[in-house]
Amino acid sequence: KTDFINFISDQEWKSIEPVSSWFGPSSFLMSSMSALFQLSMWIRHCHGYLTEDIGIPVWGSYAVFALATLFSGLILGLVSEALETDWLV
């Protein structure tokens, strides 16, 4: 506590460089990292729901996530290709 009070009263905070806006808490990079962590927690919650509540074996839960990954990649690839070749325009 005294170190923090001395840090403020002696104005040692003036000698510290500010954080770059690229690494600031509200930057695009940090917001993306936060979204990835939230996604991983949601996937963990879904895995627990599938294995504990529904009773699917662990390998079955992994299979569900593998298929979801494949289908989402397929959809994203089709959308990307459609945007690239102007199918939607």
Side-chain angles (χ1 to χ4, degrees):
K1 177 179 170 181
T2 55
D3 288 339
F4 181 69
I5 292 172
N6 290 337
F7 179 77
I8 300 299
S9 63
D10 295 342
Q11 296 183 354
E12 294 176 18
W13 52 270
K14 289 185 177 181
S15 64
I16 296 177
E17 276 189 46
V19 175
S20 164
S21 64
W22 183 249
F23 295 110
S26 62
S27 69
F28 176 74
L29 179 66
M30 292 300 142
S31 297
S32 300
M33 290 295 292
S34 173
L36 285 175
F37 284 126
Q38 290 175 353
L39 176 64
S40 71
M41 293 305 296
W42 181 79
I43 290 173
R44 182 177 177 192
H45 173 74
C46 289
H47 174 72
Y49 174 75
L50 291 173
T51 57
E52 295 169 9
D53 295 346
I54 295 179
I56 295 176
V58 173
W59 63 267
S61 174
Y62 290 154
V64 167
F65 286 117
L67 289 173
T69 302
L70 288 173
F71 284 125
S72 65
L74 175 67
I75 297 299
L76 289 173
L78 288 173
V79 168
S80 171
E81 192 64 29
L83 291 175
E84 195 173 289
T85 58
D86 294 329
W87 285 353
L88 299 176
V89 178

